[in-house]
Amino acid sequence: MIGQTQVKCADCNGTYASDTSLSTCSSCSGLLSVEHDPDTATLKQLFDNRATKIGVGSTARERSGVWRFRDIVLDASDDAIVSHPEGNTPLLRREAVAAYAGVNGLLIKHEGHNPTGSFKDRGMTVALTQARRIGARAVACASTGNTSASLSAYAAHAGIPSFVFVPEGQVAGGKLAQTVAYGARTLRIRGDFDDCLRLARDASDKLGVYLVNSVNPFRIEGQKTIMLELLQQLEWNAPDWIALPAGNLGNTSAFGKALVEAHRWGLINSIPRLLAVQASGAAPFAQSFANHFAERISVRAETRATAIRIGDPASWDRAVRAIEATNGVVESVTDDEIFAAKAVIDQCGVGCEPASAASVAGVRALAARGVIHRDERVVAVLTGHLLKDPGGGPESDNTALTTDEALTLLERTVATAPNRR
Ligand code: F0G
């Protein structure tokens, strides 16, 4: 065992050393979870001191918005850590987005500011660090595009060969370009994400390739830091709600675990309610929530928000626990609602990829129904950068002009523009 960290099965309580390469329990097949036993008296002070040391000259452990929280993530040594670095993403306020959502003080946590443009980097830095600690010879994942881009970048940095399985024709161009450019062996599969994940899990069982999808418990530990960093930015005053897009349910699980632990260890006084938002064509978790999680559901997924085009989410049980522990809500929104929210986010100069806008669309839906009150403190997480998937929005006027026509157009626009002095 390394340090105070243990890996446990959340279903049968089976215990593993922290250098395990398993994602699922060898006796009951439940998903594994990393458990810590920190010195809670000093935790907040420790994190706040480290937050001041993100300048040049500090180590990756200090600069990274993930490794700053290592005591409750993975206490790896400096030379084991594979970091670009990541995290330290902005918390933004944009009046237009708040007005659109119908919540006065809405804040946006933009995870598209990570090194490869999505929140996946926070999980991947921990998964590749663990891959290095256990001496993995190769790493693999299935992906709708962001996980593969992140894996490819972090595996390149670690010097470990990587393989990705992506559904043919269903991955946005920016994500595929990154995955190939950083050097992962990219296998396009005739099937959907759910087929790709089954293949990745099989390959890892049979060939011993280290699996870094979010079923990997160390991915979850890294993604918890979205919440920890957000709470730190809010000076440990927990908001009322946190909204996020939900696909394979890794992030929903990570957020729930982070919030419950932060409360248990005295970092916050109350637990925010999670709002997990799915696209209505890929909403098995929302359907099950509507029926009090009476049964696990899988669907054939269809949505233009390709990042969350997932019909059989892998982290189901732990996401149920996350929703229950946070008195959370699972909602679904249509593709039109997602793209309408994205347009508002884009047009205030922030921008995000389609799936990310589901969080804001979900807040708007719940505010309209009065479930979220307009004076509550709400944070919507944007999970990916606009350039990941620039298609699908309103068509730009792509008629080319002569230089004379352009000048005339400009003259007319300037003449009618209001004087802003
Ligand atoms: N938002 C974006 C931009 C994503 O890429 C994903 C998942 C999600 C939200 C949903 O998160 O799966 O933890 O519920 N993308 C995965 C991938 C599936 O392969 O990149 P989740």
Side-chain angles (χ1 to χ4, degrees), residues 89-91 108-111 122 226 229 233 379-382:
T89 60
L91 188 59
I108 300 166
K109 175 85 172 148
H110 205 325
E111 287 294 302
R122 291 187 184 258
I226 304 170
E229 187 178 283
Q233 284 167 317
V379 180
V381 177
L382 299 182

Side-chain angles (χ1 to χ4, degrees), residues 66-80:
V66 171
W67 296 103
R68 177 157 80 242
F69 303 104
R70 58 187 172 269
D71 315 75
I72 52 173
V73 170
L74 174 66
D75 206 356
S77 62
D78 256 340
D79 52 352

Side-chain angles (χ1 to χ4, degrees), residues 118-120 142-148 175 193 213-214 219 223 244-252 307-308 310 353 355-356 383-384:
S118 86
F119 72 96
K120 304 288 182 180
S143 183
T144 57
N146 281 324
T147 302
S148 58
K175 303 175 188 179
F193 170 83
N213 276 104
S214 58
R219 279 273 313 273
Q223 286 170 209
L244 78 161
N248 211 23
L249 302 179
N251 234 10
T252 305
I308 51 174
I310 294 170
E353 70 162 282
S356 304
T383 44

Side-chain angles (χ1 to χ4, degrees), residues 169-412:
Q170 293 168 32
V171 174
K175 303 175 188 179
L176 203 54
Q178 287 181 291
T179 306
V180 172
Y182 298 135
R185 186 73 201 279
T186 306
L187 307 175
R188 288 173 298 140
I189 304 299
R190 282 189 223 112
D192 58 16
F193 170 83
D194 301 300
D195 297 322
C196 291
L197 184 56
R198 271 190 293 277
L199 173 62
R201 294 179 86 160
D202 262 10
S204 123
D205 284 349
K206 289 186 185 135
L207 307 174
V209 175
Y210 191 48
L211 182 68
V212 297
N213 276 104
S214 58
V215 288
N216 181 314
F218 294 92
R219 279 273 313 273
I220 299 294
E221 293 307 291
Q223 286 170 209
K224 280 186 344 192
T225 65
I226 304 170
M227 290 298 96
L228 297 171
E229 187 178 283
L230 164 69
L231 295 170
Q232 187 169 41
Q233 284 167 317
L234 294 173
E235 297 176 343
W236 306 105
N237 294 310
D240 298 307
W241 290 88
I242 292 163
L244 78 161
N248 211 23
L249 302 179
N251 234 10
T252 305
S253 306
F255 284 19
K257 187 169 189 285
L259 295 171
V260 168
E261 289 176 349
H263 187 247
R264 185 193 311 144
W265 295 331
L267 295 170
I268 49 175
N269 295 326
S270 61
I271 298 184
R273 297 180 71 180
L274 280 183
L275 167 57
V277 189
Q278 298 204 288
S280 54
F285 196 52
Q287 285 171 28
S288 180
F289 172 78
N291 200 14
H292 309 287
F293 293 130
E295 57 177 346
R296 182 171 176 159
I297 296 174
S298 70
V299 300
R300 190 136 199 92
E302 194 46 77
T303 167
R304 283 189 286 142
T306 53
I308 51 174
R309 193 172 188 270
I310 294 170
D312 188 17
S315 286
W316 186 281
D317 290 341
R318 56 190 179 195
V320 170
R321 285 194 287 272
I323 294 299
E324 287 176 347
T326 62
N327 189 22
V329 173
V330 190
E331 179 73 359
S332 68
V333 290
T334 64
D335 280 6
D336 284 350
E337 289 172 308
I338 290 175
F339 278 90
K342 172 176 155 57
V344 177
I345 297 162
D346 289 352
Q347 283 160 26
C348 65
V350 171
C352 65
E353 70 162 282
S356 304
S359 59
V360 171
V363 173
R364 178 177 158 94
L366 258 61
R369 289 213 305 275
V371 180
I372 295 181
H373 191 266
R374 66 161 45 252
D375 291 326
E376 283 190 293
R377 298 173 69 228
V378 183
V379 180
V381 177
L382 299 182
T383 44
H385 196 279
L386 181 146
L387 286 174
K388 289 280 192 172
D389 185 4
E395 290 296 311
S396 67
D397 182 359
N398 57 5
T399 323
L401 305 176
T402 65
T403 51
D404 281 348
E405 284 168 345
L407 212 56
T408 313
L409 182 75
L410 236 71
E411 268 167 14
R412 225 183 291 141

Side-chain angles (χ1 to χ4, degrees), residues 137-161:
R137 296 174 61 183
V139 289
C141 74
S143 183
T144 57
N146 281 324
T147 302
S148 58
S150 186
L151 165 63
S152 188
Y154 280 82
H157 193 19
I160 301 177

Side-chain angles (χ1 to χ4, degrees), residues 27-86:
S27 41
C28 80
S29 302
L31 289 178
L32 300 182
S33 169
V34 182
E35 300 299 331
H36 311 273
D37 185 16
D39 176 2
T40 53
T42 57
L43 219 45
K44 198 184 283 186
Q45 196 58 52
L46 199 62
F47 295 159
D48 287 347
N49 287 346
R50 287 180 193 153
T52 63
K53 295 185 192 160
I54 57 173
V56 179
S58 57
T59 63
R61 284 178 17 138
E62 310 301 342
R63 280 201 303 278
S64 164
V66 171
W67 296 103
R68 177 157 80 242
F69 303 104
R70 58 187 172 269
D71 315 75
I72 52 173
V73 170
L74 174 66
D75 206 356
S77 62
D78 256 340
D79 52 352
I81 288 176
V82 184
S83 170
H84 271 294
E86 47 291 308

